[in-house]
Amino acid sequence: MSAPSPSSSSSSAVPASAGSPTNPAARLLNLVIALVNTNASMTKQQIRASVAGYGDAPSPDAFERMFERDKDTLRELGIPIVTVDAGGHADEVGYRIDQDAYALPAVDLTPAELGVLALAAQFWQDKTLRTDISRALTKLRAAGAGETAMDVVAGLAPRVRPVGDAYGTLMDAISARRAVSFTYRAASTGEVRSRRVQPWRIAARRGGWYLVGFDLDRGAPRSYRLSRVEGRVRATGPRDAFEVPVDVDVDAALGSRDAGGVARLAVVPERAGALRARGTVVGSVPDARAGDGAGRDVLEVPYDVRYAMADEVVGYGDAVLVLGPPDLREAVVRRLRAAAALVLPAGSGSAEVGERG
């Protein structure tokens, strides 16, 4: 398919609403589309006349500043805009995107890499991203890895609830360093109050999503569980209104800093590849359940956060038994008992489940 000429490239661009200036991000996208599709190059005059957004400039000087700023921004993002000198005259200098440098190489993911992407994608199954994620994974699987990729992450599943509508607004506000306001229901009292916050970070912890930021009314850092936000989150005030501290400790702010350590695990041979990759085999123990005299490998696996390690171990079911430390074993047993209570009749195997920690 032949590339459109510069004069027609704007038809592929993102249109601006009638009577309103083009969003800067849309203008940048329009410029990329135009410079990718041009047959040779585009002069500044052609860009101003045919690329949506540049007609908003009230004067030639304003256009020059706008274009130079956009050009520098795109280059900082790694988009290779090259200058084409057609004859030495300033009006004839053109611009285009180097297609060879801009094109991505062929995607060649291993089954393990695709499996990890598929697992990560399960975090983002909210209504705003579900379609894009599904299309992206379909294209990646078509590249050759196929469904065998899911074998690599068998036994693992994300344990975080959907993000919700607040996530996108908060991420935009963090990027723009704008304050936000929202209505929040406190966990301890049930009291519903309006909050004004300078957002710093969003993190997933203990099955939920949290915002960490500076509460403007309290004058101190605070954390908020997104599931307790009621109604819409609104960005307020100017951009670049604050600086995010470079040393934000999310775990400390959420009170979720569990002691780390070294897990001692008895693992069925050829199982729990992710744990094996991070650990060291230090011995073996017999496995009475195997029936054929086969044993289990004993792995020592370092971890930073106890609850996260417990969540991971539980995902492998009875393929992984925790030998120590005791607090990690207890955390795993507690999760298994809670799961058993959901699916088993009372008294139908809770003792056996407890032994699987």
Side-chain angles (χ1 to χ4, degrees), residues 331-351:
V332 171
V333 170
R334 189 165 57 248
R335 286 160 171 76
L336 290 172
R337 284 175 173 161
L342 295 175
V343 298
L344 296 177
S348 63
S350 60

Side-chain angles (χ1 to χ4, degrees), residues 191-213:
E191 180 184 15
V192 177
R193 295 187 59 182
S194 177
R195 304 293 189 196
R196 297 186 306 125
V197 179
Q198 292 176 345
W200 292 348
R201 297 283 189 272
I202 292 179
R205 294 291 188 277
R206 299 185 182 274
W209 290 91
Y210 293 83
L211 168 68
V212 176

Side-chain angles (χ1 to χ4, degrees), residues 93-353:
V93 173
Y95 300 90
R96 64 179 177 84
I97 288 177
D98 185 342
Q99 298 271 18
D100 292 335
Y102 187 50
L104 288 173
V107 177
D108 185 18
L109 298 177
T110 66
E113 290 168 337
L114 184 59
V116 171
L117 285 176
L119 184 63
Q122 295 181 45
F123 279 104
W124 307 104
Q125 291 301 311
D126 67 314
K127 62 184 179 182
T128 59
L129 298 174
R130 184 184 299 117
T131 300
D132 290 340
I133 288 172
S134 177
R135 289 174 178 171
L137 287 177
T138 298
K139 291 178 180 179
L140 289 172
R141 290 189 179 108
E147 294 299 329
T148 58
M150 295 311 298
D151 293 342
V152 182
V153 292
L156 295 177
R159 296 172 180 84
V160 179
R161 295 180 178 85
V163 182
D165 296 333
Y167 183 86
T169 302
L170 289 171
M171 286 299 295
D172 289 342
I174 291 172
S175 177
R177 300 197 300 278
R178 296 183 66 189
V180 296
S181 63
F182 52 86
T183 301
Y184 188 75
R185 181 180 296 277
S188 56
T189 65
E191 180 184 15
V192 177
R193 295 187 59 182
S194 177
R195 304 293 189 196
R196 297 186 306 125
V197 179
Q198 292 176 345
W200 292 348
R201 297 283 189 272
I202 292 179
R205 294 291 188 277
R206 299 185 182 274
W209 290 91
Y210 293 83
L211 168 68
V212 176
F214 187 84
D215 191 303
L216 293 171
D217 296 317
R218 299 179 182 181
R222 290 290 187 273
S223 61
Y224 310 87
R225 185 163 178 138
L226 297 193
S227 62
R228 299 193 189 108
V229 173
E230 300 190 353
R232 295 179 57 191
V233 175
R234 292 178 171 82
T236 60
R239 299 172 65 91
D240 302 322
F242 60 90
E243 292 293 331
V244 177
V246 297
D247 57 349
V248 176
D249 188 335
V250 173
D251 287 317
L254 297 178
S256 60
R257 183 177 293 285
D258 270 329
V262 177
R264 191 173 177 87
L265 310 173
V267 184
V268 172
E270 300 183 5
R271 294 291 302 277
L275 291 173
R276 290 178 180 274
R278 306 199 310 273
T280 303
V281 178
V282 296
S284 63
V285 293
D287 186 357
R289 301 181 190 181
D292 57 359
R296 290 175 178 248
D297 298 324
V298 176
L299 270 64
E300 290 188 349
V301 183
Y303 61 93
D304 295 325
V305 182
R306 182 172 56 242
Y307 78 82
M309 187 64 176
D311 286 347
E312 181 178 3
V313 168
V314 167
Y316 290 105
D318 60 1
V320 178
L321 304 180
V322 179
L323 304 178
D327 55 358
L328 176 63
R329 179 180 172 86
E330 176 57 31
V332 171
V333 170
R334 189 165 57 248
R335 286 160 171 76
L336 290 172
R337 284 175 173 161
L342 295 175
V343 298
L344 296 177
S348 63
S350 60
E352 181 180 354
V353 171

